[in-house]
């Protein structure tokens, strides 16, 4: 089959305005969109820029907007496109070149939620243990590969007035530690999350959950963070 890829092009060092360029690519039905992009780069335009690494939905580097919906190029098959596909960079972020966006702000927000275990008690003789049930409480959030599709799809992050919202990806990571039985930083985590730029920035619009390529129940996890903040206040 011939797949028509209409691709967003922009080089921040050269172009005044972005434009779209269409490429015809010969593809097998089970080829992935990522294969088609690699083919364009190898055979038609070596300047086409995009990120990729694992090609198997693990590294999270090839997040982009595909026919208006954010997703991983390595998880989309040619047969599902009906001959044409519009490929654009993730919204919300500044475009550096073509499909490559500046992720500095994304990771700044991610690190703002302290994405690590906080321990205050002295280290035990052996490792800090937890039961399978305790682990199960946050297990789904471990699937996050930081592809940024959720944050880019969130209407709150897309709105300039509310763009300071930390975003769903950071909140999934905050959930992971807030509900970890070994973590001893609950008080400071709640302090970071109990703000309009934190968990309360979420307007429960479900876009993050719809696009998550790892099927993490993102909106539900943010809801559980909100409940935890509320319970914590009541316990004071
Ligand atoms: S290239 Fe690694 S997730 Fe797609």
């Amino acid at each position: 089959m011939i797949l028509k890829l209409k691709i967003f092009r922009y080089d921040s060092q050269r172009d005044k305005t972005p434009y779209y360029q269409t490429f015809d690519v010969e593809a097998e039905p089970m080829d992935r969109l990522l294969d088609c992009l690699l083919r364009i780069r190898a055979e038609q335009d070596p300047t086409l820029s995009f990120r990729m690494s694992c090609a198997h939905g693990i590294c999270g580097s090839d997040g982009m907007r595909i026919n208006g919906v954010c997703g991983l190029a390595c998880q989309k098959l040619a047969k599902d496109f009906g001959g044409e596909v519009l490929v654009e960079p993730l919204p919300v972020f500044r475009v550096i070149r073509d499909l490559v966006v500046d992720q500095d702000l994304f990771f700044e927000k991610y690190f703002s939620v302290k994405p690590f275990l906080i321990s205050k008690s002295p280290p035990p003789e052996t490792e800090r243990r937890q039961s399978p049930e305790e682990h199960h409480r946050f297990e789904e959030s471990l699937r996050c590969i930081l592809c940024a599709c959720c944050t880019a799809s969130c209407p709150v992050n897309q709105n300039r007035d509310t763009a300071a919202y930390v975003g769903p990806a950071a909140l999934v990571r905050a959930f992971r530690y807030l509900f970890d039985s070994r973590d001893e930083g609950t008080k400071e985590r709640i302090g970071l999350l109990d703000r309009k730029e934190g968990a309360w920035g979420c307007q429960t619009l479900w876009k993050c959950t719809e696009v998550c390529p790892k099927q993490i129940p993102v909106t539900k996890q943010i809801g559980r963070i909100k409940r935890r903040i509320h319970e914590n206040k009541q316990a004071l």
Side-chain angles (χ1 to χ4, degrees):
M1 62 187 285
I2 297 291
L3 195 61
K4 262 191 193 316
L5 268 71
K6 186 175 174 186
I7 302 179
F8 178 99
R9 304 298 307 266
Y10 179 63
D11 181 344
S12 58
Q13 307 214 310
R14 196 192 56 201
D15 300 323
K16 281 208 174 80
T17 49
Y19 60 98
Y20 287 85
Q21 189 174 5
T22 302
F23 296 90
D24 288 346
V25 188
E26 207 170 316
E28 295 296 325
M30 294 304 282
D31 279 351
R32 300 157 307 174
L33 177 61
L34 180 62
D35 298 318
C36 299
L37 292 171
L38 288 166
R39 209 162 291 147
I40 292 172
R41 194 158 69 182
E43 298 169 3
Q44 299 188 48
D45 186 347
T47 69
L48 179 65
S49 300
F50 53 91
R51 287 196 179 103
M52 61 86 56
S53 182
C54 71
H56 291 285
I58 303 296
C59 72
S61 54
D62 62 343
M64 51 191 77
R65 185 153 68 172
I66 304 157
N67 281 344
V69 181
C70 299
L72 301 177
C74 64
Q75 284 190 337
K76 306 290 173 193
L77 299 179
K79 71 179 176 65
D80 297 327
F81 289 125
E84 274 190 28
V85 52
L86 175 64
V87 188
E88 298 169 296
L90 289 177
V92 168
F93 307 110
R94 183 180 70 85
V95 176
I96 298 173
R97 186 162 157 168
D98 299 337
L99 305 171
V100 176
V101 295
D102 181 354
Q103 294 186 317
D104 282 359
L105 187 60
F106 176 74
F107 282 104
E108 224 172 83
K109 289 178 174 181
Y110 168 74
F111 286 114
S112 76
V113 301
K114 296 189 186 277
F116 43 81
L117 210 58
I118 298 174
S119 10
K120 300 190 170 150
S121 53
E125 295 272 303
T126 59
E127 71 268 35
R128 295 179 195 272
R129 308 190 71 147
Q130 69 183 172
S131 67
E133 292 73 30
E134 286 167 336
H135 182 77
H136 187 68
R137 288 165 70 195
F138 61 87
E139 199 170 17
E140 285 170 314
S141 61
L142 297 176
R143 295 202 295 258
C144 177
I145 53 174
L146 296 175
C147 64
C149 288
C150 58
T151 298
S153 304
C154 172
V156 182
N157 283 123
Q158 288 173 358
N159 183 337
R160 270 172 195 269
D161 297 337
T162 50
Y165 167 48
V166 72
L171 290 173
V172 164
R173 198 51 58 107
F175 175 93
R176 180 251 174 276
Y177 289 103
L178 192 59
F179 287 87
D180 188 322
S181 57
R182 300 163 299 179
D183 191 79
E184 294 166 347
T186 302
K187 198 170 161 215
E188 57 194 282
R189 292 193 190 285
I190 298 274
L192 289 169
L193 296 166
D194 185 15
R195 301 177 297 134
K196 73 175 187 325
E197 295 82 13
W200 302 113
C202 170
Q203 297 175 13
T204 323
L205 301 170
W206 296 92
K207 293 289 171 196
C208 50
T209 305
E210 281 170 23
V211 300
C212 177
K214 307 308 268 186
Q215 289 81 46
I216 298 170
V218 183
T219 315
K220 281 190 184 161
Q221 293 191 347
I222 299 173
R224 288 186 59 197
I225 293 175
K226 289 174 178 170
R227 206 177 319 147
R228 184 74 183 267
I229 294 171
H230 188 62
E231 287 165 0
N232 232 59
K233 280 184 177 161
Q234 291 201 316
L236 290 176

